[in-house]
Amino acid sequence: NAFLRARGRTLTAFRPDAEYQWKGPFYFIQGADPQFGLMKSWAHGDTENGDDEWGEEIKLTEQAVQAINKLSPKPKFFVLCGDLVHGMPGTRWKKNQEQDLKDVLKNTDQDIPLVFVSGNHDIGNTPTRETIDDYCKNWGDDYFSFWVGGVFFLVLNSQLYFDSSKCPELRQAQDAWLDEQLAAAANQKCKHIIVFQHIPLFLSKPDEDNDYFNLDKSVRQEIMEKFHKAGITAVFSGHYHRNAGGSYKGLEMVVSSAIGCQLGQDTHGLRVVVVTEEKVVHRYYSLTELGSHGIEKELLDMLAKQ
């Protein structure tokens, strides 16, 4: 099964021993919130159970996959930052939505690994051991790490930061694991550490008020400080269905809009992220733009510099 990529807290698509060394610039694609079912729910003003159609999202995700498959050179991987489907755990359409998403994603070029991040609709606003187990059976581990060309990537389960009241031991396990990972990364002399999670730490300012779309200030401060001390370059997330972001002491917070339903003025799109030895540069493209024109010359030039 092409989808069970993250096992034993690592992504099996990349062999760490082959990926510890910097081999030159590369890029990856970040998408978020295909969220099959939200567009109809949102249009009908019934986000609890109005999600019995998702033809529009199927088309958009097919468009995303086609655009990615045409890119040259190929991206190192395609990461989906959560809310794969709209149906919450245990709801009526969830299984069908997941199957349809898998059917679309199966067409992604075999040489482009898929990296899945869990969102609140995937495991619930207040996850339980059961909802997380179910997600892991379907999509792979809920948190894990992997190396690509001298860069260390961490995928986190941000629901455990949002509300772990029904599974506090899982939050503790992720925290302990993260500390170990950051300590190991410090020894490896990696070029960058990049984090993927569904819920942004913040939308524009590190000290902004608590909101449905960011992490609670108390948790946020602790995580930002931990990330800053570990020298993390950037955190990429979704959840907001709009583009946003800011920075905290040199740590960049990048919030990408959705492949699916837009809640603001952005277009359905994907983010192209170029990793060079010195920096991480990214640009959000509409699906149409990426599909018809590909990546702009400026970014391609950065990739060509060895």
Side-chain angles (χ1 to χ4, degrees), residues 114-129:
L114 292 161
V115 179
F116 296 108
V117 182
S118 63
N120 56 308
H121 282 261
D122 305 310
I123 58 177
N125 284 320
T126 306
T128 64
R129 187 175 278 281

Side-chain angles (χ1 to χ4, degrees), residues 18 66 95 97 118 162 229-230 304:
Q66 285 159 5
K95 286 277 172 272
Q97 290 168 352
S118 63
F162 183 79
K229 286 203 175 93

Side-chain angles (χ1 to χ4, degrees), residues 98-139:
E98 289 186 325
Q99 191 50 57
D100 284 354
L101 177 60
K102 286 180 179 183
D103 289 344
V104 174
L105 293 175
K106 267 191 199 112
N107 298 315
T108 309
D109 185 309
Q110 290 302 297
D111 295 329
I112 305 171
L114 292 161
V115 179
F116 296 108
V117 182
S118 63
N120 56 308
H121 282 261
D122 305 310
I123 58 177
N125 284 320
T126 306
T128 64
R129 187 175 278 281
E130 290 68 38
T131 63
I132 291 174
D133 282 350
D134 189 57
Y135 170 86
C136 293
K137 281 191 196 90
N138 257 307
W139 303 102

Side-chain angles (χ1 to χ4, degrees), residues 48-64:
E48 294 304 311
N49 37 31
D51 61 342
D52 59 345
E53 285 173 29
W54 48 92
E56 197 60 38
E57 285 97 340
I58 288 177
K59 281 194 204 118
L60 289 161
T61 310
E62 282 173 344
Q63 198 183 342

Side-chain angles (χ1 to χ4, degrees), residues 191-241:
K191 293 289 175 195
H192 300 281
I193 305 174
I194 293 173
V195 172
F196 299 120
Q197 58 188 54
H198 179 62
I199 302 180
L201 296 167
F202 57 88
L203 299 171
S204 57
K205 297 188 174 70
D207 60 350
E208 68 198 18
D209 291 340
N210 295 342
D211 182 304
Y212 172 76
F213 289 110
N214 60 22
L215 286 179
D216 196 277
K217 267 182 161 173
S218 55
V219 185
R220 184 197 314 167
Q221 188 55 43
E222 188 188 328
I223 299 170
M224 289 189 310
E225 206 36 47
K226 178 182 285 193
F227 285 3
H228 162 66
K229 286 203 175 93
I232 289 171
T233 309
V235 177
F236 288 87
S237 69
H239 189 51
Y240 191 44
H241 296 253

Side-chain angles (χ1 to χ4, degrees), residues 2-291:
F3 298 112
L4 301 182
R5 299 284 177 126
R7 281 284 172 266
R9 303 279 173 228
T10 186
L11 195 69
T12 49
F14 298 105
R15 290 199 2 257
D17 52 329
E19 296 292 343
Y20 284 144
Q21 300 305 315
W22 176 254
K23 302 187 188 83
F26 64 88
Y27 81 103
F28 63 85
I29 301 291
Q30 182 216 6
D33 304 271
Q35 206 156 339
F36 283 22
L38 177 59
M39 289 173 87
K40 183 183 176 193
S41 298
W42 191 255
H44 285 250
D46 178 3
T47 53
E48 294 304 311
N49 37 31
D51 61 342
D52 59 345
E53 285 173 29
W54 48 92
E56 197 60 38
E57 285 97 340
I58 288 177
K59 281 194 204 118
L60 289 161
T61 310
E62 282 173 344
Q63 198 183 342
V65 167
Q66 285 159 5
I68 291 169
N69 286 349
K70 275 176 29 187
L71 295 174
S72 176
K74 287 187 204 304
K76 284 286 187 186
F77 58 86
F78 171 28
V79 58
L80 270 171
C81 282
D83 282 2
L84 305 174
V85 303
H86 184 62
M88 285 281 189
T91 55
R92 185 172 173 192
W93 306 108
K94 189 176 185 73
K95 286 277 172 272
N96 302 50
Q97 290 168 352
E98 289 186 325
Q99 191 50 57
D100 284 354
L101 177 60
K102 286 180 179 183
D103 289 344
V104 174
L105 293 175
K106 267 191 199 112
N107 298 315
T108 309
D109 185 309
Q110 290 302 297
D111 295 329
I112 305 171
L114 292 161
V115 179
F116 296 108
V117 182
S118 63
N120 56 308
H121 282 261
D122 305 310
I123 58 177
N125 284 320
T126 306
T128 64
R129 187 175 278 281
E130 290 68 38
T131 63
I132 291 174
D133 282 350
D134 189 57
Y135 170 86
C136 293
K137 281 191 196 90
N138 257 307
W139 303 102
D141 288 345
D142 59 323
Y143 60 89
F144 55 94
S145 64
F146 60 100
W147 286 84
V148 177
V151 177
F152 189 47
F153 292 93
L154 290 160
V155 170
L156 299 179
N157 177 345
S158 55
Q159 289 316 117
L160 295 174
Y161 294 130
F162 183 79
D163 182 1
S164 61
S165 58
K166 290 188 177 163
C167 54
E169 72 290 353
L170 297 184
R171 157 88 195 260
Q172 285 159 358
Q174 176 171 262
D175 284 345
W177 173 88
L178 178 59
D179 289 341
E180 278 169 23
Q181 295 293 308
L182 294 174
N187 294 334
Q188 278 294 345
K189 305 277 185 284
C190 53
K191 293 289 175 195
H192 300 281
I193 305 174
I194 293 173
V195 172
F196 299 120
Q197 58 188 54
H198 179 62
I199 302 180
L201 296 167
F202 57 88
L203 299 171
S204 57
K205 297 188 174 70
D207 60 350
E208 68 198 18
D209 291 340
N210 295 342
D211 182 304
Y212 172 76
F213 289 110
N214 60 22
L215 286 179
D216 196 277
K217 267 182 161 173
S218 55
V219 185
R220 184 197 314 167
Q221 188 55 43
E222 188 188 328
I223 299 170
M224 289 189 310
E225 206 36 47
K226 178 182 285 193
F227 285 3
H228 162 66
K229 286 203 175 93
I232 289 171
T233 309
V235 177
F236 288 87
S237 69
H239 189 51
Y240 191 44
H241 296 253
R242 285 157 281 216
N243 287 309
S247 66
Y248 171 80
K249 297 184 180 177
L251 164 72
E252 191 182 6
M253 180 67 241
V254 184
V255 185
S256 293
S257 197
I259 290 171
C261 191
Q262 299 299 313
L263 302 184
Q265 300 307 306
D266 295 296
T267 49
H268 307 281
L270 294 166
R271 194 172 291 277
V272 172
V273 187
V274 175
V275 183
T276 74
E277 205 162 357
E278 293 78 38
K279 57 191 177 183
V280 174
V281 180
H282 50 86
R283 171 158 180 226
Y284 187 83
Y285 288 83
S286 75
L287 296 178
T288 313
E289 192 185 3
L290 194 63

